[in-house]
Amino acid sequence: MKNILVPVGSSKNALSHLQYAVDFAEAFEAKLFIVQVYNVYTKAGTMIKVDHIIERESNAFLKGLVSKIDTKKVEVVTKVLKGKLVDTLELASKAANIDLIIVEPRTNSIRDEVFLGKTSGKIIKQTQIPALIVPEGYKFKPFSNILLAIKSAIIKKNDALDPLLNIKNNFQASVNMLLVKTPYYKEGDFVVEQKLLDTVDNTTKTENATTFHGVLQHLQSYNPDMLCVVRRKRGFFTKKWEKNVILKKDFSSLIPVLVLRGLK
């Protein structure tokens, strides 16, 4: 894990989130890209060009934030990018060979009942970039116990497990796998391939309505310091995250959540 991307909004948690990202990057000796994405919607007949104003102010804003955190020995690059959020982050990730994007739950939202705001929810749901959701105010500490919750152990994408493997190996963490049998279970879903067998230390099988319910049932017994889930069309996010905004009553986490790209 050598290149990490951090999108920044206007949240009051921005400094804490950036410090976490720096500390995380330091553990991997990774390069940190701190970006802000903007888009300009103009009305017909509008002649005033505001691009350069927004770009100048955004650059000053990012540099101001970075000046207030301890960057340690981490190489930090700040970028202001124009375009649609998801498309722009996807393009930037490909250009910079990004391994992981670190997301704060609410980049702009100030509503207390919100876990993931519209921007963060859009990044998690609509991109295929592996992501780490870090709770507000959470301070970095090495991971020792990871809970991987999935409903199918079938792996067709060779690099899908790479972020989990990198974190496991870097911190010598244990990985406990929770295989959740849902109504969408298909024959062969619980046949664990060798690469996954080599990754996990223990496996538990459970039957629940959704992967989300399986996590709720077993989270306390595992007491992990990281939850790992997978993007799927019918996966962890399907019911709870139909909209980009996710309320705390539907899902919240007091520990970091690693979101892998789809395994299939």
Side-chain angles (χ1 to χ4, degrees):
M1 196 175 296
K2 293 302 179 184
N3 298 303
I4 297 171
L5 181 71
V6 186
V8 173
S10 58
S11 81
K12 61 183 179 181
N13 183 56
L15 285 176
S16 171
H17 183 68
L18 286 180
Q19 190 61 61
Y20 182 98
V22 167
D23 295 344
F24 185 94
E26 182 188 36
F28 288 90
E29 298 182 353
K31 186 175 182 179
L32 193 64
F33 294 85
I34 300 174
V35 304
Q36 189 165 58
V37 180
Y38 76 95
N39 205 349
V40 178
Y41 299 95
T42 59
K43 295 181 180 179
T46 301
M47 299 298 293
I48 300 175
K49 294 184 178 181
V50 296
D51 282 26
H52 67 286
I53 299 174
I54 296 175
E55 185 175 357
R56 184 181 68 237
E57 292 181 350
S58 296
N59 271 314
F61 174 70
L62 290 182
K63 290 178 180 177
L65 286 178
V66 173
S67 71
K68 296 175 183 177
I69 61 175
D70 181 4
T71 56
K72 303 180 178 181
K73 295 182 179 180
V74 175
E75 182 180 356
V76 176
V77 177
T78 59
K79 291 283 186 182
V80 176
L81 306 172
K82 179 186 176 182
K84 293 182 179 180
L85 179 69
V86 171
D87 293 342
T88 303
L89 289 179
E90 290 275 14
L91 288 172
S93 295
K94 289 179 181 178
N97 197 24
I98 295 298
D99 300 299
L100 182 73
I101 182 169
I102 298 183
V103 179
E104 61 173 314
R106 300 183 296 175
T107 57
N108 299 306
S109 176
I110 58 173
R111 294 165 57 195
D112 287 338
E113 69 271 23
V114 170
F115 172 64
L116 275 190
K118 183 178 180 180
T119 300
S120 300
K122 188 178 291 186
I123 292 170
I124 294 298
K125 186 174 179 181
Q126 296 184 22
T127 72
Q128 280 299 310
I129 312 165
L132 182 66
I133 307 169
V134 181
E136 294 176 9
Y138 198 88
K139 293 185 178 181
F140 174 79
K141 58 183 179 181
F143 300 102
S144 61
N145 181 13
I146 302 170
L147 176 61
L148 168 63
I150 54 178
K151 72 183 188 71
S152 174
I154 298 173
I155 302 174
K156 293 183 180 179
K157 295 178 181 177
N158 292 330
D159 59 349
L161 291 175
D162 285 358
L164 176 61
L165 286 169
N166 287 334
I167 292 172
K168 171 186 170 69
N169 294 335
N170 193 71
F171 299 109
Q172 299 299 304
S174 63
V175 177
N176 297 295
M177 181 168 62
L178 184 67
L179 284 173
V180 184
K181 186 176 183 180
T182 73
Y184 299 106
Y185 173 83
K186 294 180 180 178
E187 193 68 33
D189 276 347
F190 282 8
V191 177
V192 183
E193 298 183 23
Q194 191 61 47
K195 184 174 183 178
L196 189 53
L197 277 175
D198 293 340
T199 303
V200 302
D201 298 280
N202 298 289
T203 301
T204 300
K205 296 179 182 179
T206 183
E207 188 168 347
N208 297 90
T210 66
T211 311
F212 173 75
H213 286 99
V215 169
L216 289 181
Q217 180 181 340
H218 293 273
L219 191 64
Q220 190 171 358
S221 60
Y222 279 111
N223 193 29
D225 47 30
M226 173 186 281
L227 173 63
C228 181
V229 296
V230 176
R231 289 185 183 95
R232 292 186 190 277
K233 290 183 179 179
R234 291 187 178 275
F236 190 82
F237 308 112
T238 303
K239 289 296 180 183
K240 296 301 176 184
W241 298 14
E242 288 176 347
K243 297 180 179 179
N244 291 324
V245 174
I246 293 94
L247 301 179
K248 289 180 179 178
K249 68 181 181 66
D250 292 323
F251 176 78
S252 64
S253 178
L254 298 177
I255 59 175
V257 181
L258 177 64
V259 185
L260 301 178
R261 57 184 299 212
L263 301 182
K264 295 183 180 180

